[in-house]
Amino acid sequence: MIEIDHITKRYGETTVVDDVSMVIEPRTVTVIVGTSGSGKTTLLRMINRLVEPSSGTIRLDGIDNRSVPGHELRRSIGYAIQGNGLFPHRTVAQNIATVPALLGWDAARIKARVDELLALLQLDPAAFGPRYPHELSGGQQQRVGVARALAAEPNVLLMDEPFGALDPIIRTKAQEDLLAIQKRFGTTIILVTHDMEEAVHLGDRIAVMDAGKLVQYATPADILANPASDFVETLIGASDRPFKLLSLGTVGDAVEPGPAAGEGIRAGASQRDALAELLWSGRPAMPVTGENGAALGRVTVEGLVKRAARPQ
Amino acid sequence: MRAWLPLLLRLCLLALLVAFLSNPLWFEPLLRPLTQNGAPAVYNQGSLLSLALLHLRTVAIATAAAIVVAVALAILVTRPIGAEFLPLSRSLVNIGQTFPPVAVLALAVPAVGFGEKPTLIALFLYGLLPIFENTLTGLTTTPPSIVEAARGAGMTGWQRLTKVELPLCLPVMLAGIRLSVVISLATATIGSTVAAKTLGEVIIAGLQSNNLAFVLQGGLIVAALAVLIYDALSALERMAARRMGQVA
């Protein structure tokens, strides 16, 4: 659990982060959203003390994060940034081994961990380990950046716009990978982005920041249904709201009994994808199949449209 | 085939240099036409090989000292603790460069006497600037995202310097060292005016006795050394840069 307690950061006269308090539950993904200059990155960097707050405290599992020296704290917290920040003079394997090496792990343990992470991120350890970062594509570099942040098995992973530099197709894939890794390791992830779409997709909870203040901190469904201010509403984008809401639910939750013809959809797909498919193929209903291929029922345009309405 | 030509030329130059230094008499017929009144065509007041080695030693010692001081200074002024010394260090190093080596020799001789010492002082002062400025450029242009990542990974200030910043600025630093070495190789010849054992001795002896052959062989040996060392350091630099994916 991460408790952010009345945190304020001032640079001279300007207040960048203004009295922010929030509690982040363990093993969840929290997304901090805001425009440029909203203080979201500064807030993130105060958790691992890359920035020291002017006042207030941050506690990790009840312990003040100022109770250990900054560099030791940072070794226990994963940190991934936009543009990945890989060390160009070190191989992929050496990059991933950065924190374990600082912690003094023995060579065999480091190698095992590096290979595990590379395999997990679908990079062949034998082929990619000895390469240098400039020999990789942008998407591969980003994955190595994530692997490096996770190398020392941190409980908390901080990510600053980690997908900002990726093209849309690779970004979607990277987001899926991140969610899978989060499920596997149970890491608490705090991610900063300016993209509400990404926030709704990834976050268990979303913190919206504006001009240094925490404007709203709630679940994605809650933020979509009850935006706390005009600013939050603008950030969501009014025309997209129903579709973002649909993207939160799976087809499995929208299944109705009854038959339907034509090609089916998996129960794990999002309701937004189901609606899109129905509208595109001009059908009123389509069959739903479980992960094992069994028929579960159908989804209908009518049923999905009802679910897209503002929750009461 | 084309790609091998520069390397081949350099190997020929090296072979020629080694041959000349070890057996200068072989080349006497070539140099003979440059002399007058039966003067000796090949330097006969000492071994050319040992002069060349002493010349290299002087340059090596002076450059090594310049590297240590310039790099240490550049590191100091790029840390928060030493940032205010940046203008002062710049001025000091610039003075070292603008002061003509001849003047330094003239001033140093009364203080430390004749011989190698005044030459070392002059070369050291003259060699500081390129190394200092290049190291400074390298350290201040490290991409912020990489320094940020190093901090975020939990490296201490010292670890960031030795594991990230210095290795990353190595190619630029090597370029400064290369410039400094080449300047020192040429400048070291004037050290012989204050009795330092360098190849300048050959040139000065030639000038004094109006012997063009001496002047030419002294100058050519220094030039060949400078070209070969320049190319070797350039190659080293390209290797360092290529590892980092920079186009050299």
Side-chain angles (χ1 to χ4, degrees):
Chain A
M1 186 164 69
I2 301 168
E3 295 161 272
I4 297 174
D5 193 0
H6 295 289
I7 279 288
T8 298
K9 178 66 189 178
R10 282 183 221 94
Y11 287 109
E13 292 293 295
T14 8
T15 306
V16 189
V17 174
D18 191 357
D19 194 27
V20 169
S21 295
M22 60 195 277
V23 173
I24 293 159
E25 295 298 329
R27 284 175 263 289
T28 60
V29 180
T30 301
V31 182
I32 306 174
V33 198
T35 49
S36 308
S38 61
K40 55 189 194 301
T41 296
T42 310
L43 180 63
L44 184 85
R45 287 156 55 94
M46 282 192 281
I47 296 174
N48 66 358
R49 283 176 59 199
L50 282 171
V51 173
E52 299 284 353
S54 306
S55 66
T57 48
I58 295 177
R59 287 182 293 276
L60 304 167
D61 293 325
I63 301 163
D64 191 328
N65 71 350
R66 283 167 298 185
S67 59
V68 289
H71 63 269
E72 281 176 34
L73 175 78
R74 289 190 278 276
R75 288 174 195 175
S76 67
I77 297 176
Y79 186 56
I81 53 177
Q82 179 176 12
N84 67 61
L86 293 178
F87 303 134
H89 60 300
R90 294 191 175 189
T91 64
V92 166
Q94 287 167 339
N95 262 289
I96 298 176
T98 304
V99 184
L102 289 173
L103 291 170
W105 288 17
D106 63 65
R109 186 174 170 207
I110 290 178
K111 183 172 185 329
R113 180 65 178 164
V114 168
D115 288 356
E116 180 194 358
L117 283 166
L118 279 174
L120 187 69
L121 289 157
Q122 297 129 42
L123 297 168
D124 176 19
F128 284 93
R131 289 198 201 169
Y132 284 91
H134 68 91
E135 298 170 306
L136 308 184
S137 71
Q140 290 165 342
Q141 288 178 1
Q142 191 273 338
R143 278 184 268 169
V144 175
V146 172
R148 179 174 68 179
L150 288 168
E153 299 165 357
N155 289 325
V156 177
L157 172 60
L158 308 178
M159 306 184 92
D160 189 359
E161 306 232 9
F163 310 125
L166 303 180
D167 66 61
I169 292 173
I170 293 177
R171 184 184 312 168
T172 311
K173 172 84 173 67
Q175 289 169 345
E176 295 313 318
D177 287 348
L178 183 69
L179 289 177
I181 287 168
Q182 197 270 337
K183 278 208 180 66
R184 181 180 163 132
F185 293 129
T187 315
T188 307
I189 296 179
I190 303 164
L191 185 146
V192 161
T193 181
H194 57 261
D195 179 1
M196 195 50 138
E197 181 98 32
E198 186 166 273
V200 170
H201 181 53
L202 294 175
D204 293 311
R205 287 174 82 89
I206 296 176
V208 183
M209 295 215 29
D210 181 29
K213 287 196 163 62
L214 181 61
V215 190
Q216 190 169 14
Y217 181 42
T219 60
D222 206 15
I223 293 223
L224 290 174
N226 308 301
S229 67
D230 290 346
F231 173 77
V232 181
E233 207 158 336
T234 321
L235 211 56
I236 296 167
S239 66
D240 262 359
R241 262 185 310 189
F243 307 107
K244 286 204 172 91
L245 191 60
L246 276 183
S247 73
L248 290 171
T250 63
V251 174
D253 297 332
V255 168
E256 301 165 27
E263 202 177 325
I265 189 164
R266 289 177 305 104
S270 82
Q271 293 172 8
R272 180 187 183 155
D273 292 345
L275 182 63
E277 184 55 39
L278 283 171
L279 292 175
W280 192 247
S281 62
R283 289 180 287 172
M286 68 197 288
V288 177
T289 56
E291 296 304 330
N292 51 10
L296 297 177
R298 61 174 185 171
V299 279
T300 61
V301 171
E302 203 182 346
L304 289 173
V305 166
K306 274 195 193 118
R307 286 171 179 275
R310 178 177 203 152
Q312 296 304 315
Chain B
M1 186 62 209
R2 277 271 164 77
W4 287 102
L5 198 59
L7 185 66
L8 200 68
L9 285 175
R10 279 169 203 142
L11 285 176
C12 288
L13 182 61
L14 181 65
L16 212 60
L17 182 66
V18 170
F20 187 75
L21 287 176
S22 50
N23 276 305
L25 289 176
W26 289 355
F27 296 83
E28 209 205 342
L30 282 174
L31 294 163
R32 173 64 56 197
L34 297 170
T35 59
Q36 294 166 346
N37 311 328
V42 169
Y43 190 63
N44 54 1
Q45 293 157 38
S47 145
L48 281 175
L49 181 63
S50 80
L51 278 182
L53 290 177
L54 284 170
H55 189 106
L56 287 176
R57 195 187 77 159
T58 306
V59 171
I61 294 172
T63 309
I67 291 172
V68 170
V69 172
V71 171
L73 213 55
I75 290 171
L76 176 75
V77 298
T78 49
R79 304 303 104 184
I81 200 172
E84 51 187 305
F85 294 109
L86 177 58
L88 179 68
S89 314
R90 270 227 161 101
S91 325
L92 282 178
V93 170
N94 272 314
I95 290 171
Q97 177 79 13
T98 45
F99 231 78
V102 179
V104 176
L105 288 181
L107 290 173
V109 167
V112 298
F114 285 93
E116 197 185 15
K117 280 184 200 152
T119 316
L120 285 176
I121 294 172
L123 294 184
F124 163 75
L125 289 177
Y126 212 48
L128 280 177
L129 182 79
I131 306 179
F132 175 76
E133 281 297 334
N134 275 37
T135 310
L136 197 63
T137 307
L139 287 175
T140 48
T141 55
T142 315
S145 71
I146 291 172
V147 180
E148 167 87 358
R151 278 190 76 202
M155 289 190 187
T156 60
W158 177 252
Q159 287 166 335
R160 282 204 299 282
L161 177 68
T162 55
K163 289 172 193 262
V164 178
E165 294 179 63
L166 283 180
L168 282 180
C169 85
L170 192 64
V172 190
M173 206 157 88
L174 279 174
I177 293 173
R178 173 168 52 97
L179 281 178
S180 179
V181 166
V182 172
I183 295 172
S184 292
L185 272 171
T187 314
T189 51
I190 63 160
S192 292
T193 57
V194 293
K197 285 271 175 194
T198 73
L199 289 165
E201 214 176 278
V202 185
I203 300 173
I204 290 167
L207 290 171
Q208 281 170 346
S209 59
N210 199 16
N211 185 337
L212 190 56
F214 280 12
V215 176
L216 199 67
Q217 61 196 268
L220 283 179
I221 296 173
V222 174
L225 283 173
V227 167
L228 288 172
I229 291 175
Y230 183 94
D231 285 351
L233 288 174
S234 299
L236 210 65
E237 229 176 282
R238 276 198 300 277
M239 255 167 58
R242 199 174 305 130
R243 257 185 62 167
M244 277 168 242
Q246 297 164 354
V247 184

